[in-house]
Amino acid sequence: MKITKSLFRFDLVTLMPEMFQALTDFGVTGRAFKSGVIEMHVCNPREFAKDAHNTIDDKSYGGGPGMLMMVEPLVKAIEFIKEKQHKKGLKGAKVVHMTPRGKSLDHQLVRELLKEDSLIIIASRYEGVDERINDWVDEEISVGDYVMSGGELPAMTLMDCMIRQLPGVLNDDESANQDSFVDGLLDHPHFTRPELYRGLKVPEVLMSGDHEKIRIWRLKESLRETWTKRPDLLAERLLTKEESRLLQEVKREQEQDPYN
């Protein structure tokens, strides 16, 4: 696919721009950047520090452990990015802050963010950020209920999830449509050669060449995986008649042989 214009633009506010080479230089995302599907621009808030030491953190008012990122360098970085975008005729980008207290990242949120043309992502560090930054933030996003050393890896997680959904990024666009969570279910099991390995055989239906039987088997196994490992997903999903019937089969089979 020939790209004449990038499909999405990311602007990163980060103290560690080198970390993002993991995305730009390798794998599926690396190919997307090289082909021009994606643009990425990095802005280091140290460039907007006031003193000769480029200080961007300070102690918290009221005491407490650790240091906080100061609000002014971050705000100036955001404003600098938005001014650059304005000069290029781009509309105002949504500002996202990667933080443990944010909305949990899931596939639905990825799809919502892809309705934008660009994102400004703040990858903060230290103990936290001056609370006043939220006047410049549109959305807080979390990648899980745990604490990391900084927002760079969560930012890359978000970017990877978004990039693989863009047309032309994967060699087969249908791969993205069949990923886990895309339709609210976990993906079905996959098999490749050899057909027999240490007594473990590939399911015969997958060797049959009967596309309808394969489709039903995959749907049923997808329901089985979801029911067994993430039943909460089924509680949130409106099942079709076919899915309801297959799920009932899965439950009956599990009752008959709970260890299988």
Side-chain angles (χ1 to χ4, degrees):
M1 182 171 95
K2 185 178 180 181
I3 303 297
T4 56
K5 178 186 176 184
S6 65
L7 299 180
F8 207 92
R9 171 183 171 128
F10 294 99
D11 283 273
L12 281 301
V13 179
T14 173
L15 296 171
M16 299 188 175
E18 298 82 5
M19 289 184 68
F20 290 89
Q21 291 177 356
L23 279 182
T24 60
D25 294 357
F26 303 101
V28 169
T29 57
R31 292 197 302 270
F33 281 107
K34 291 178 177 66
S35 68
V37 175
I38 306 298
E39 283 184 67
M40 186 183 79
H41 304 270
V42 179
C43 183
N44 192 327
R46 288 195 188 278
E47 298 173 16
F48 304 96
K50 285 185 172 182
D51 63 357
H53 300 289
N54 296 325
T55 303
I56 46 78
D57 63 309
D58 207 340
K59 295 178 180 178
S60 177
Y61 281 124
M67 304 289 278
L68 292 181
M69 290 191 76
M70 301 162 70
V71 65
E72 186 172 11
L74 289 171
V75 170
K76 286 189 171 180
I78 293 169
E79 292 176 340
F80 174 76
I81 292 168
K82 288 194 171 186
E83 180 61 25
K84 281 177 61 178
Q85 292 184 349
H86 179 71
K87 288 179 179 178
K88 289 189 174 184
L90 301 173
K91 68 177 184 179
K94 176 177 281 192
V95 180
V96 167
H97 182 204
M98 308 306 298
T99 168
R101 72 182 190 184
K103 181 188 296 184
S104 293
L105 179 63
D106 59 17
H107 188 71
Q108 183 58 40
L109 180 53
V110 168
R111 294 181 65 172
E112 287 297 317
L113 293 173
L114 282 169
K115 294 177 182 178
E116 307 289 327
D117 296 319
S118 62
L119 284 184
I120 298 172
I121 304 178
I122 302 173
S124 56
R125 285 201 156 246
Y126 302 107
E127 187 68 21
V129 179
D130 188 309
E131 185 70 14
R132 290 168 289 185
I133 190 60
N134 287 319
D135 280 6
W136 286 266
V137 170
D138 298 305
E139 185 138 29
E140 294 180 310
I141 296 177
S142 168
V143 295
D145 296 336
Y146 46 85
V147 179
M148 303 184 73
S149 300
E152 285 78 14
L153 289 175
M156 285 189 271
T157 298
L158 171 61
M159 292 170 66
D160 185 281
C161 291
M162 294 178 67
I163 291 168
R164 64 180 287 108
Q165 295 298 318
L166 293 171
V169 170
L170 300 180
N171 290 330
D172 182 355
D173 287 341
E174 190 60 26
S175 295
N177 295 329
Q178 294 184 5
D179 285 342
S180 290
F181 306 111
V182 170
D183 63 355
L185 301 174
L186 297 183
D187 198 7
H188 57 79
H190 295 267
F191 298 87
T192 187
R193 292 182 293 179
E195 182 181 343
L196 179 65
Y197 179 71
R198 297 190 179 186
L200 301 172
K201 290 191 65 177
V202 174
E204 290 185 9
V205 64
L206 298 179
M207 313 290 292
S208 69
D210 188 321
H211 297 296
E212 178 60 12
K213 286 184 179 179
I214 291 171
R215 182 194 68 80
I216 294 172
W217 181 89
R218 285 176 169 169
L219 177 57
K220 183 176 179 179
E221 294 308 307
S222 180
L223 288 161
R224 189 190 308 277
E225 289 286 304
T226 309
W227 169 252
T228 304
K229 299 173 181 177
R230 288 292 306 276
D232 57 299
L233 295 176
L234 291 175
E236 300 171 359
R237 192 176 189 278
L238 183 62
L239 298 179
T240 66
K241 289 183 178 180
E242 180 183 44
E243 290 168 345
S244 296
R245 176 178 58 79
L246 292 173
L247 181 58
Q248 289 306 312
E249 289 182 13
V250 167
K251 292 178 179 180
R252 285 196 298 270
E253 290 168 5
Q254 188 170 337
E255 290 172 358
Q256 294 168 2
D257 187 1
Y259 299 105
N260 186 10

